Amino acid sequence: MTPGDGRIFPLPRKPRGVFCGPQYEGAAVQQDNPDLTFITPTAPVANETHGGRAKCLQRLVRLDLPVPRTVALSFDEVHRIAQGVMPDMKALLAPLDEGSLLCVRPSSEDPDWGGPGAVLNIGMNGARLAALSAQIGESAARKLFARFIQTYSIQVARLDPDMFDDLDLEAEDVCDVALAAYEDEAEEPFPQDPGVQLAGVLRSMARAWEGTSARLLRQAKGAPADAGLGLVVQEMVLGLGRGECGSGVLQLVNSITGHPQITGRYMSQSQGRDALDGGAESLFLEKDPRGPSLEELAPEAFEALKLDAALMRERLREEMQIEFTIENGAVHILDGVRVQRSSRAAVRIAVQLAKDGIIPKEEALIRIEPRALNELLHRQVDPDAPRDVVGTGVAASPGAASGRIVFTAAEAQASAARGEPCVLVRRETNPEDIRGMHAASAVLTERGGTTSHAAVIGRGLGLPCVVGASSIRFQMRKKTIVAPDGREFREGDVITIDGSEGEVLAGEPAMLEAALDDAFQALMTWADEARDIDVRANADTPADARTARNFNAGGIGLCRTEHMFFEADRLTVMREMIFANAAGDRRSALDQLLPMQRADFTELFRIMEGMPVCIRLFDPPLHEFLPSERTGLRDLAEALNLPLSDVTRRVEALEEYNPMLGMRGVRLGITVPEIYDMQARAIFEATIEASREGEPIVPEIMIPLVSAKREVELVKTRVDAVAAAVRTEKGVDFDYRLGVMVETPRAALRAEDIAPHCHFFSFGTNDLTQMTYGLSRDDAGRFMSTYVQQGVYPEDPFHTLDADGVGELLKLGAERGRKGQPDLTLSVCGEHGGSPESIDFCRKAGINYVSCSPFRVPVARLAAAQLAIRDKIG
């Protein structure tokens, strides 16, 4: 044992070989049979042909662990059985002791794909009942036989389970009653021949695997439609008898935390996994003040189990759960399976295995599913907590949070002021709701998809969010939501948003807190050493920037400046600017916003400490800053000291039929240039201010929604003029980089013309996808699941970058852009930047960095590392 770490390592052991003696003389031929394979250290058993359980048992045999004799049936053999072609039962049983009871367990290629339930005690009959009565006692033998009749009737003969509801296992005639019930229901005697019983079990399990329901279930878990099933036939170690006998499971780590901890249960006079369901009859493994333990009851067996588990961990290079049986004090290992684990446990287990030198760091990185990191970064619903599902939607932003229902941003702010967590419920969010989203614990919307406003802002804030919850009726006037089952939830009722699963839950289930512990930090350090593409964060506020730094982002790849204008004191000034009729009046209003913007940028630069910060100039259409409801219009008229009719006419005049394709982005910057002039000045003055205290800042200024070279020329001329003016006024020189956001197909196609005027291109894949497909990213969620299910699209293109269509435009833009400007820096700053599949595409396309929401940065860093490692190993 290594001092202080609580781990157990194997010590020298006496040989416990089981492959010697006359009982194995007939097994040599059988172990070479590829379809009915007696498991020995050298038998031809593989995960791809016999399944994971069979292969694991062979590994345990190679470790000289006390494994009962086992025969493995290949995928091909089980498929033939399902078609009605039975194997040579004599050959199958030849390596096994003629007097042994048997069990059959499934062995699929991936244990997560499931399989039919195990069947124990095959071979139990009247003759065996008499022999076992003398060995383990009449009562225990009767119960064993009765349970086998019950199991065989339900799982093999497919008889009605209700026929055994009144079966009294303590009655002396329980076996006769069970046999009579079987014969009455099946209209034939219960099979007494062990070979017939075994054949029935094999046939039943094979056909169950190939049935339609089972196939659909495993396909839902990611299994191919033609996934094979192996079966293992193993001699039973009863776990019943007059000495210390029983069964249990043991593992060396906690499945939730991954910390070293001997966990599991043991129950005397039991079989299989009875100990896990045994309640008060089950024993702890280690000494425990809560009750008796195996360590006290059978200390030698307990020590042997710890050694076996430590040896398996070291030699199988994995944390394993042992299923064991004790018979007269001797330990037998029936099975070893990979320990079930939460995401946080998976990280700690992989890191600890690497630190102990059992696996290399690269393998530790590969073992962690990047998206699983979301469970570490956010609170999650406890997997053991009951879930009362109200409705479902799109899982738009991971994590879970509970709170009282509120229906407006103002109510969310009021709730936060009272210290009460709340869930903001909206049909769909818009920029006016950002303050409410900041105040809320979670967000639920009726409309939207993975790149809708609520989804994008939610991910940026680390706010659990479910969008597109169309199964729920939103009654905004009544301030209620109605579940599909008719339950009504009013303002003030507590619900929980599970943004990882896309579910809305009633009440407040138990939660698991976020865990950015030492294991997570170690994994991320190794990931940064391995990856070959940079990862930045999309950050609009100082809080976002701090989160980005905490997650070791390589800078800010997208700062959306318009989000800074929705604070109450700024919104009024912004509206004054919109209502101004002359350039001078607009400049006067913008002069009030200038110091606010300058302060924002200065703080961003200081937080990032010299790291690159890419600031996108103002992008949205102006109508987003204006009220649409009568009350809001009256308030605005009062604030601006204008007649309500004038305000209403002005708001109506700014409305557009398709605002996402209207006067926004660079079009607004050219039409109302005072906005970009103010922003450029704020950036340059903040650059000078922040550079006084540290390294010189080189800001990156990005022009949105470009589609023509002339647009860039016009904006660049004005930005250069502002830079020259600031240099002259302040007497300080500085550098900056100018680039464009490529989010229109034309910009990608004409990249060679545009690039000579730029230092960088940033592909805005959200809008580029929207324009390439002709899809509204806010509305596509209504039909996208149907499209994916029916194979129209392989994946939601707003979730995983469309490599064939949008990807082709991206590659064309990259190639043509670098043809026009060889030193052009390329990036992807849409939400695709955090998708592992999309990062793979970006690496191959020569993209320099990806940028994503701050809470997706660790996911992107790990995904990038895994892709680089896989490339190295081929």
Side-chain angles (χ1 to χ4, degrees):
M1 180 182 286
T2 303
D5 69 355
R7 290 190 171 274
I8 300 163
F9 292 91
L11 301 173
R13 56 162 69 246
K14 293 180 181 180
R16 291 202 255 162
V18 294
F19 295 100
C20 54
Q23 69 269 36
Y24 282 89
E25 291 173 0
V29 176
Q30 187 73 21
Q31 65 177 303
D32 295 327
N33 186 327
D35 292 316
L36 300 175
T37 312
F38 178 57
I39 295 183
T40 66
T42 58
V45 175
N47 194 66
E48 299 78 20
T49 56
H50 293 76
R53 175 171 269 124
K55 186 61 186 176
C56 183
L57 286 170
Q58 183 180 51
R59 290 179 175 138
L60 302 186
V61 166
R62 288 173 179 168
L63 294 179
D64 194 30
L65 294 177
V67 178
R69 285 172 290 186
T70 306
V71 173
L73 281 66
S74 71
F75 295 169
D76 290 341
E77 187 65 43
V78 174
H79 179 66
R80 284 192 288 270
I81 292 172
Q83 301 303 311
V85 181
M86 296 304 297
D88 182 342
M89 299 303 293
K90 184 176 181 181
L92 191 160
L93 293 167
L96 308 176
D97 186 354
E98 186 177 348
S100 292
L101 298 181
L102 305 174
C103 71
V104 179
R105 290 186 173 92
S107 180
S108 58
E109 195 168 343
D110 186 328
D112 291 337
W113 297 347
V119 179
L120 311 182
N121 301 310
I122 300 164
M124 192 66 195
N125 54 25
R128 199 79 187 103
L129 174 64
L132 274 180
S133 294
Q135 179 184 338
I136 65 174
E138 290 184 13
S139 177
R142 284 196 303 268
K143 289 178 184 177
L144 189 150
F145 190 19
R147 285 196 181 118
F148 174 62
I149 297 168
Q150 187 175 6
T151 300
Y152 189 93
S153 301
I154 297 168
Q155 293 187 225
V156 180
R158 309 293 177 186
L159 302 183
D160 189 347
D162 295 345
M163 60 188 276
F164 296 105
D165 283 351
D166 299 323
L167 195 66
D168 181 4
L169 293 174
E170 302 296 334
E172 292 187 7
D173 63 347
V174 63
C175 295
D176 294 332
V177 172
L179 288 169
Y182 178 92
E183 185 169 349
D184 182 59
E185 188 76 13
E187 298 182 349
E188 63 181 19
F190 184 82
Q192 297 284 328
D193 186 297
V196 173
Q197 294 176 0
L198 179 60
V201 171
L202 296 176
R203 186 185 303 110
S204 173
M205 294 176 76
R207 288 179 174 172
W209 176 261
E210 299 204 356
T212 301
S213 297
R215 184 177 70 254
L216 293 174
L217 185 61
R218 63 177 175 270
Q219 281 183 267
K221 297 177 181 178
D226 59 350
L229 177 73
L231 295 172
V232 294
V233 181
Q234 188 178 71
E235 290 184 356
M236 289 284 298
V237 181
L238 290 181
L240 306 169
R242 301 190 188 280
E244 180 47 49
C245 299
S247 65
V249 296
L250 175 144
Q251 62 190 53
L252 298 180
V253 294
N254 184 294
S255 290
I256 299 296
T257 66
H259 284 289
Q261 179 184 355
I262 294 177
T263 62
R265 299 287 276 180
Y266 171 78
M267 188 162 74
S268 294
Q269 304 299 318
S270 70
Q271 293 182 312
R273 293 178 170 261
D274 289 350
L276 297 180
D277 303 317
E281 296 180 15
S282 295
L283 307 182
F284 295 100
L285 298 177
E286 284 187 299
K287 291 179 182 177
D288 194 296
R290 292 173 293 174
S293 67
L294 176 63
E295 184 177 10
E296 297 163 303
L297 182 67
E300 292 184 4
F302 178 68
E303 288 301 317
L305 281 166
K306 288 197 297 182
L307 291 174
D308 290 343
L311 179 64
M312 289 166 65
R313 176 181 185 268
E314 180 182 350
R315 298 292 291 278
L316 301 187
R317 306 166 68 249
E318 181 57 282
E319 290 289 358
M320 303 292 288
Q321 184 185 81
I322 297 177
E323 184 176 335
F324 66 90
T325 296
I326 297 176
E327 191 168 71
N328 293 323
V331 171
H332 299 266
I333 306 298
L334 308 183
D335 196 11
V337 297
R338 180 178 175 272
V339 166
Q340 292 292 312
R341 62 202 68 184
S342 67
S343 294
R344 70 186 65 195
V347 169
R348 179 163 293 280
I349 288 169
V351 168
Q352 192 61 53
L353 288 170
K355 287 183 174 180
D356 291 343
I358 294 173
I359 62 174
K361 292 178 182 177
E362 292 78 9
E363 185 174 344
L365 288 166
I366 292 292
R367 287 189 179 192
I368 306 301
E369 167 61 37
R371 290 188 178 91
L373 293 184
N374 284 325
E375 288 189 25
L376 280 73
L377 306 177
H378 304 275
R379 294 178 82 214
Q380 299 288 333
V381 176
D382 189 324
D384 296 328
R387 302 174 72 92
D388 182 2
V389 179
V390 172
T392 60
V394 177
S397 180
S402 304
R404 298 186 181 279
I405 295 173
V406 297
F407 288 90
T408 67
E411 290 163 356
Q413 290 177 287
S415 183
R418 295 192 299 270
E420 296 178 355
C422 66
V423 174
L424 178 61
V425 175
R426 303 288 289 159
R427 289 203 187 279
E428 57 187 336
T429 62
N430 57 52
E432 284 187 84
D433 292 314
I434 288 177
R435 285 172 291 163
M437 295 177 73
H438 274 281
S441 301
V443 174
L444 170 66
T445 71
E446 181 182 25
R447 303 170 187 150
T450 55
T451 55
S452 63
H453 180 270
V456 171
I457 301 303
R459 285 192 293 270
L461 297 175
L463 193 68
C465 182
V466 171
V467 301
S470 54
S471 64
I472 300 172
R473 273 196 297 135
F474 287 59
Q475 299 179 327
M476 305 302 288
R477 288 186 179 180
K478 293 182 178 179
K479 293 192 173 183
T480 61
I481 57 175
V482 182
D485 62 9
R487 282 185 292 170
E488 193 174 88
F489 295 84
R490 299 180 177 277
E491 186 175 36
D493 289 346
V494 175
I495 60 171
T496 296
I497 301 300
D498 187 341
S500 301
E501 299 296 328
E503 292 183 342
V504 183
L505 311 176
E508 189 173 1
M511 297 281 185
L512 295 178
E513 297 300 324
L516 305 184
D517 54 18
D518 58 322
F520 171 81
Q521 301 298 344
L523 189 80
M524 288 293 98
T525 299
W526 299 343
D528 291 339
E529 293 169 357
R531 62 185 168 90
D532 55 10
I533 186 171
D534 200 8
V535 178
R536 296 195 198 177
N538 301 341
D540 307 330
T541 65
D544 293 342
R546 291 188 190 93
T547 303
R549 285 302 307 269
N550 291 340
F551 290 143
N552 280 355
I556 294 176
L558 173 63
C559 173
R560 292 162 288 214
T561 53
E562 60 270 10
H563 291 163
M564 299 173 174
F565 293 129
F566 283 99
E567 295 297 327
D569 55 339
R570 305 181 187 196
L571 188 57
T572 300
V573 179
M574 189 67 184
R575 288 169 171 173
E576 286 179 12
M577 187 275 297
I578 293 170
F579 272 76
N581 292 315
D585 294 337
R586 284 195 292 269
R587 274 194 291 270
S588 177
L590 288 166
D591 284 345
Q592 298 178 62
L593 289 174
L594 174 63
M596 302 176 190
Q597 282 262 279
R598 182 174 59 229
D600 291 332
F601 296 142
T602 302
E603 189 171 2
L604 278 182
F605 292 146
R606 285 172 174 163
I607 291 169
M608 298 313 293
E609 297 180 351
M611 288 184 171
V613 176
C614 182
I615 299 171
R616 184 181 73 183
L617 297 176
F618 192 88
D619 181 46
L622 293 177
H623 80 272
E624 289 193 1
F625 294 86
L626 300 175
S628 56
E629 298 174 355
R630 191 75 174 171
T631 303
L633 291 169
R634 279 199 302 267
D635 292 342
L636 180 57
E638 183 179 348
L640 299 178
N641 194 27
L642 292 172
L644 177 60
S645 58
D646 289 356
V647 170
T648 303
R649 276 195 299 272
R650 180 66 169 157
V651 170
E652 289 174 350
L654 285 168
E655 288 180 358
E656 299 180 69
Y657 287 110
N658 196 337
M660 295 310 292
L661 299 178
M663 197 172 80
R664 52 168 283 221
V666 69
R667 301 158 192 168
L668 185 62
I670 290 172
T671 309
V672 189
E674 296 82 11
I675 298 176
Y676 281 10
D677 289 350
M678 182 275 289
Q679 290 194 304
R681 175 172 285 276
I683 292 169
F684 296 141
E685 292 180 355
T687 297
I688 294 171
E689 182 70 25
S691 297
R692 289 193 181 117
E693 303 170 8
E695 297 181 23
I697 306 296
V698 182
E700 297 176 359
I701 299 176
M702 184 157 64
I703 309 170
L705 209 70
V706 165
S707 59
K709 175 183 71 170
R710 184 61 179 155
E711 290 173 325
V712 183
E713 290 174 343
L714 290 170
V715 174
K716 185 176 188 300
T717 299
R718 294 194 71 105
V719 171
D720 287 344
V722 173
V726 173
R727 289 189 183 108
T728 301
E729 293 167 15
K730 303 294 183 182
V732 177
D733 196 15
F734 55 84
D735 291 323
Y736 69 94
R737 288 160 55 84
L738 187 74
V740 301
M741 198 168 187
V742 180
E743 48 193 331
T744 68
R746 192 179 193 280
L749 294 171
R750 304 307 302 166
E752 190 174 348
D753 296 336
I754 296 171
H757 303 280
C758 303
H759 294 97
F760 64 88
F761 277 1
S762 188
F763 291 90
T765 53
N766 293 351
D767 268 358
L768 189 57
T769 298
Q770 181 170 240
M771 295 191 191
T772 303
Y773 274 84
L775 285 174
S776 163
R777 66 189 192 186
D778 292 309
D779 299 320
R782 298 182 182 183
F783 59 85
M784 189 57 67
S785 60
T786 303
Y787 259 49
V788 173
Q789 288 168 6
Q790 298 193 23
V792 179
Y793 303 148
E795 296 285 348
D796 181 343
F798 292 111
H799 184 258
T800 301
L801 184 68
D802 165 33
D804 297 331
V806 179
E808 186 171 353
L809 277 173
L810 194 150
K811 284 192 285 188
L812 273 175
E815 292 166 5
R816 294 178 181 181
R818 282 196 169 137
K819 189 175 178 181
Q821 173 67 276
D823 297 328
L824 193 70
T825 299
L826 300 175
S827 69
V828 165
C829 64
E831 279 304 298
H832 293 108
S835 160
E837 297 85 358
S838 306
I839 292 171
D840 187 24
F841 177 88
C842 292
R843 290 177 66 248
K844 293 171 182 174
I847 301 297
N848 298 100
Y849 70 84
V850 296
S851 188
C852 54
S853 299
F855 282 90
R856 299 186 80 181
V857 167
V859 176
R861 288 163 61 198
L862 178 58
Q866 291 182 346
L867 292 164
I869 292 167
R870 289 193 172 104
D871 279 355
K872 286 180 182 178
I873 64 179

Short mmCIF file of all heavy atoms in Angstrom, two decimals, residues 35-62:
data_model
loop_
_atom_site.label_atom_id
_atom_site.label_comp_id
_atom_site.label_asym_id
_atom_site.label_seq_id
_atom_site.Cartn_x
_atom_site.Cartn_y
_atom_site.Cartn_z
N ASP A 35 -16.29 -21.53 -32.10
CA ASP A 35 -17.68 -21.19 -31.81
C ASP A 35 -18.16 -21.71 -30.47
O ASP A 35 -18.98 -21.09 -29.81
CB ASP A 35 -18.58 -21.74 -32.92
CG ASP A 35 -18.36 -21.01 -34.24
OD1 ASP A 35 -18.27 -19.77 -34.21
OD2 ASP A 35 -18.25 -21.68 -35.28
N LEU A 36 -17.66 -22.88 -30.04
CA LEU A 36 -17.93 -23.41 -28.70
C LEU A 36 -16.58 -23.54 -28.03
O LEU A 36 -15.92 -24.56 -28.11
CB LEU A 36 -18.63 -24.77 -28.77
CG LEU A 36 -20.00 -24.82 -29.48
CD1 LEU A 36 -20.50 -26.25 -29.56
CD2 LEU A 36 -21.00 -23.94 -28.76
N THR A 37 -16.17 -22.46 -27.37
CA THR A 37 -14.77 -22.33 -26.95
C THR A 37 -14.64 -22.47 -25.44
O THR A 37 -15.19 -21.66 -24.69
CB THR A 37 -14.21 -20.97 -27.40
OG1 THR A 37 -14.51 -20.75 -28.77
CG2 THR A 37 -12.71 -20.92 -27.21
N PHE A 38 -13.91 -23.49 -25.01
CA PHE A 38 -13.60 -23.63 -23.60
C PHE A 38 -12.55 -22.57 -23.25
O PHE A 38 -11.49 -22.49 -23.89
CB PHE A 38 -13.06 -25.03 -23.31
CG PHE A 38 -12.66 -25.25 -21.89
CD1 PHE A 38 -13.56 -25.06 -20.85
CD2 PHE A 38 -11.37 -25.64 -21.57
CE1 PHE A 38 -13.20 -25.26 -19.54
CE2 PHE A 38 -10.99 -25.85 -20.24
CZ PHE A 38 -11.91 -25.67 -19.22
N ILE A 39 -12.87 -21.72 -22.27
CA ILE A 39 -12.00 -20.59 -21.98
C ILE A 39 -10.76 -21.04 -21.22
O ILE A 39 -10.85 -21.50 -20.08
CB ILE A 39 -12.75 -19.50 -21.21
CG1 ILE A 39 -13.87 -18.91 -22.08
CG2 ILE A 39 -11.80 -18.39 -20.77
CD1 ILE A 39 -14.64 -17.78 -21.45
N THR A 40 -9.63 -20.94 -21.88
CA THR A 40 -8.30 -21.17 -21.29
C THR A 40 -7.45 -19.95 -21.64
O THR A 40 -7.86 -19.10 -22.42
CB THR A 40 -7.66 -22.43 -21.88
OG1 THR A 40 -7.38 -22.21 -23.27
CG2 THR A 40 -8.57 -23.65 -21.73
N PRO A 41 -6.25 -19.87 -21.10
CA PRO A 41 -5.41 -18.70 -21.42
C PRO A 41 -5.12 -18.53 -22.91
O PRO A 41 -4.89 -17.41 -23.36
CB PRO A 41 -4.12 -18.97 -20.63
CG PRO A 41 -4.57 -19.81 -19.48
CD PRO A 41 -5.65 -20.69 -20.02
N THR A 42 -5.13 -19.61 -23.67
CA THR A 42 -4.74 -19.51 -25.09
C THR A 42 -5.90 -19.73 -26.05
O THR A 42 -5.69 -19.77 -27.27
CB THR A 42 -3.64 -20.53 -25.39
OG1 THR A 42 -4.12 -21.85 -25.08
CG2 THR A 42 -2.39 -20.24 -24.55
N ALA A 43 -7.10 -19.89 -25.57
CA ALA A 43 -8.24 -20.17 -26.44
C ALA A 43 -8.51 -18.98 -27.37
O ALA A 43 -8.25 -17.83 -27.01
CB ALA A 43 -9.48 -20.46 -25.59
N PRO A 44 -9.05 -19.22 -28.56
CA PRO A 44 -9.33 -18.14 -29.53
C PRO A 44 -10.58 -17.36 -29.17
O PRO A 44 -11.64 -17.52 -29.76
CB PRO A 44 -9.48 -18.90 -30.85
CG PRO A 44 -10.01 -20.23 -30.45
CD PRO A 44 -9.36 -20.56 -29.13
N VAL A 45 -10.47 -16.49 -28.17
CA VAL A 45 -11.59 -15.67 -27.71
C VAL A 45 -11.25 -14.20 -27.95
O VAL A 45 -10.16 -13.75 -27.61
CB VAL A 45 -11.86 -15.90 -26.20
CG1 VAL A 45 -12.95 -14.97 -25.70
CG2 VAL A 45 -12.23 -17.35 -25.95
N ALA A 46 -12.17 -13.47 -28.55
CA ALA A 46 -11.96 -12.05 -28.81
C ALA A 46 -13.24 -11.28 -28.53
O ALA A 46 -14.34 -11.81 -28.64
CB ALA A 46 -11.53 -11.82 -30.26
N ASN A 47 -13.09 -10.01 -28.17
CA ASN A 47 -14.23 -9.16 -27.91
C ASN A 47 -15.14 -9.06 -29.13
O ASN A 47 -16.37 -9.02 -29.02
CB ASN A 47 -13.74 -7.77 -27.50
CG ASN A 47 -14.83 -6.91 -26.90
OD1 ASN A 47 -15.33 -7.20 -25.84
ND2 ASN A 47 -15.18 -5.84 -27.59
N GLU A 48 -14.53 -9.04 -30.31
CA GLU A 48 -15.30 -8.86 -31.55
C GLU A 48 -16.04 -10.12 -31.98
O GLU A 48 -16.93 -10.06 -32.84
CB GLU A 48 -14.37 -8.43 -32.69
CG GLU A 48 -13.66 -7.11 -32.46
CD GLU A 48 -12.48 -7.26 -31.49
OE1 GLU A 48 -11.98 -8.40 -31.32
OE2 GLU A 48 -12.07 -6.24 -30.90
N THR A 49 -15.67 -11.29 -31.42
CA THR A 49 -16.30 -12.54 -31.84
C THR A 49 -17.09 -13.21 -30.72
O THR A 49 -18.07 -13.91 -30.98
CB THR A 49 -15.24 -13.54 -32.35
OG1 THR A 49 -14.25 -13.75 -31.32
CG2 THR A 49 -14.58 -13.01 -33.61
N HIS A 50 -16.69 -12.99 -29.46
CA HIS A 50 -17.34 -13.65 -28.32
C HIS A 50 -17.90 -12.67 -27.31
O HIS A 50 -18.62 -13.08 -26.40
CB HIS A 50 -16.34 -14.58 -27.61
CG HIS A 50 -15.93 -15.76 -28.43
ND1 HIS A 50 -15.03 -15.67 -29.46
CD2 HIS A 50 -16.30 -17.08 -28.36
CE1 HIS A 50 -14.84 -16.87 -30.00
NE2 HIS A 50 -15.60 -17.74 -29.36
N GLY A 51 -17.57 -11.38 -27.44
CA GLY A 51 -18.11 -10.39 -26.52
C GLY A 51 -17.17 -10.07 -25.37
O GLY A 51 -16.21 -10.79 -25.08
N GLY A 52 -17.47 -8.95 -24.71
CA GLY A 52 -16.61 -8.46 -23.65
C GLY A 52 -16.55 -9.34 -22.43
O GLY A 52 -15.49 -9.48 -21.81
N ARG A 53 -17.66 -9.95 -22.03
CA ARG A 53 -17.65 -10.79 -20.84
C ARG A 53 -16.75 -12.01 -21.04
O ARG A 53 -15.95 -12.36 -20.17
CB ARG A 53 -19.07 -11.20 -20.48
CG ARG A 53 -19.13 -12.18 -19.32
CD ARG A 53 -20.55 -12.42 -18.82
NE ARG A 53 -20.91 -11.49 -17.77
CZ ARG A 53 -21.95 -10.68 -17.79
NH1 ARG A 53 -22.75 -10.67 -18.83
NH2 ARG A 53 -22.22 -9.88 -16.77
N ALA A 54 -16.87 -12.65 -22.19
CA ALA A 54 -16.05 -13.83 -22.47
C ALA A 54 -14.58 -13.46 -22.47
O ALA A 54 -13.74 -14.17 -21.90
CB ALA A 54 -16.45 -14.45 -23.81
N LYS A 55 -14.24 -12.33 -23.10
CA LYS A 55 -12.84 -11.92 -23.15
C LYS A 55 -12.32 -11.57 -21.78
O LYS A 55 -11.17 -11.91 -21.43
CB LYS A 55 -12.68 -10.73 -24.09
CG LYS A 55 -11.23 -10.33 -24.34
CD LYS A 55 -10.44 -11.46 -24.97
CE LYS A 55 -8.95 -11.15 -25.08
NZ LYS A 55 -8.20 -12.31 -25.62
N CYS A 56 -13.14 -10.90 -20.97
CA CYS A 56 -12.72 -10.55 -19.61
C CYS A 56 -12.46 -11.82 -18.78
O CYS A 56 -11.48 -11.90 -18.05
CB CYS A 56 -13.75 -9.67 -18.93
SG CYS A 56 -13.27 -9.13 -17.28
N LEU A 57 -13.34 -12.82 -18.92
CA LEU A 57 -13.13 -14.07 -18.18
C LEU A 57 -11.81 -14.72 -18.59
O LEU A 57 -11.09 -15.28 -17.75
CB LEU A 57 -14.30 -15.01 -18.42
CG LEU A 57 -15.60 -14.63 -17.69
CD1 LEU A 57 -16.76 -15.49 -18.19
CD2 LEU A 57 -15.45 -14.80 -16.18
N GLN A 58 -11.47 -14.66 -19.87
CA GLN A 58 -10.18 -15.22 -20.29
C GLN A 58 -9.02 -14.47 -19.65
O GLN A 58 -8.03 -15.06 -19.23
CB GLN A 58 -10.05 -15.17 -21.81
CG GLN A 58 -8.75 -15.83 -22.30
CD GLN A 58 -8.59 -15.79 -23.80
OE1 GLN A 58 -8.73 -14.73 -24.40
NE2 GLN A 58 -8.30 -16.94 -24.40
N ARG A 59 -9.16 -13.15 -19.55
CA ARG A 59 -8.09 -12.37 -18.92
C ARG A 59 -7.95 -12.74 -17.44
O ARG A 59 -6.85 -12.78 -16.90
CB ARG A 59 -8.39 -10.88 -19.07
CG ARG A 59 -8.24 -10.39 -20.52
CD ARG A 59 -8.56 -8.93 -20.64
NE ARG A 59 -8.30 -8.44 -21.99
CZ ARG A 59 -9.08 -7.62 -22.66
NH1 ARG A 59 -10.22 -7.19 -22.10
NH2 ARG A 59 -8.76 -7.21 -23.86
N LEU A 60 -9.08 -12.98 -16.79
CA LEU A 60 -9.03 -13.40 -15.39
C LEU A 60 -8.37 -14.76 -15.25
O LEU A 60 -7.62 -15.01 -14.29
CB LEU A 60 -10.44 -13.42 -14.79
CG LEU A 60 -11.23 -12.10 -14.82
CD1 LEU A 60 -12.54 -12.24 -14.07
CD2 LEU A 60 -10.41 -10.96 -14.23
N VAL A 61 -8.65 -15.66 -16.20
CA VAL A 61 -8.01 -16.98 -16.20
C VAL A 61 -6.51 -16.82 -16.37
O VAL A 61 -5.71 -17.48 -15.69
CB VAL A 61 -8.62 -17.86 -17.31
CG1 VAL A 61 -7.76 -19.09 -17.55
CG2 VAL A 61 -10.04 -18.27 -16.95
N ARG A 62 -6.09 -15.92 -17.25
CA ARG A 62 -4.66 -15.70 -17.47
C ARG A 62 -3.97 -15.15 -16.21
O ARG A 62 -2.77 -15.34 -16.02
CB ARG A 62 -4.45 -14.71 -18.62
CG ARG A 62 -4.76 -15.29 -19.99
CD ARG A 62 -4.68 -14.22 -21.06
NE ARG A 62 -4.94 -14.76 -22.39
CZ ARG A 62 -5.16 -14.02 -23.47
NH1 ARG A 62 -5.17 -12.70 -23.37
NH2 ARG A 62 -5.37 -14.59 -24.64
#
